[in-house]
Amino acid sequence: MTPPPASSSPTAETLPHTSVRIHREGNTTVLGFSDQLLGTVSQSGRDQVMSILEPGCQLMLDFVGVEEISGVGLRHILQLTRFVRGMGGAVAARNVS
């Protein structure tokens, strides 16, 4: 399976990059976001996320402190979710309000 595509739209390129924090909690890998999910993840952040994904992985998306999510940010979250589920993994979210 191929990784989710990087956005190629001109609008996404002008938006700020989203930072991602990655850590483990038991068998689950936690991706933490904060502030705003308005743009794309930087290439280094994207590489870091892709390196932790493996078949059957358990992924928790932590939205603590996230105040705003744009359509671009939501699209990337959905693409990541589809990719992980396509590998037989599971995705959950916490601190969503």
Side-chain angles (χ1 to χ4, degrees), residues 58-70:
Q58 304 295 309
L59 190 63
M60 175 66 67
L61 305 178
D62 188 357
F63 294 93
V64 67
V66 173
E67 297 178 11
E68 184 179 359
I69 300 176
S70 70

Side-chain angles (χ1 to χ4, degrees), residues 14-96:
T14 61
L15 293 172
H17 288 298
T18 298
S19 62
V20 179
R21 296 176 320 279
I22 301 173
H23 68 276
R24 301 271 307 167
E25 291 180 5
N27 294 331
T28 302
T29 300
V30 179
L31 295 183
F33 307 99
S34 60
D35 300 323
Q36 301 174 331
L37 293 171
L38 300 179
T40 61
V41 174
S42 68
Q43 186 61 46
S44 63
R46 180 178 160 79
D47 291 344
Q48 189 177 16
V49 169
M50 295 308 295
S51 72
I52 58 139
L53 300 180
E54 55 189 39
C57 65
Q58 304 295 309
L59 190 63
M60 175 66 67
L61 305 178
D62 188 357
F63 294 93
V64 67
V66 173
E67 297 178 11
E68 184 179 359
I69 300 176
S70 70
V72 171
L74 183 58
R75 182 177 66 222
H76 289 293
I77 294 297
L78 291 173
Q79 288 173 330
L80 176 63
T81 299
R82 289 180 184 140
F83 181 72
V84 170
R85 288 185 176 163
M87 294 181 3
V91 179
R94 67 182 182 198
N95 297 313
V96 180

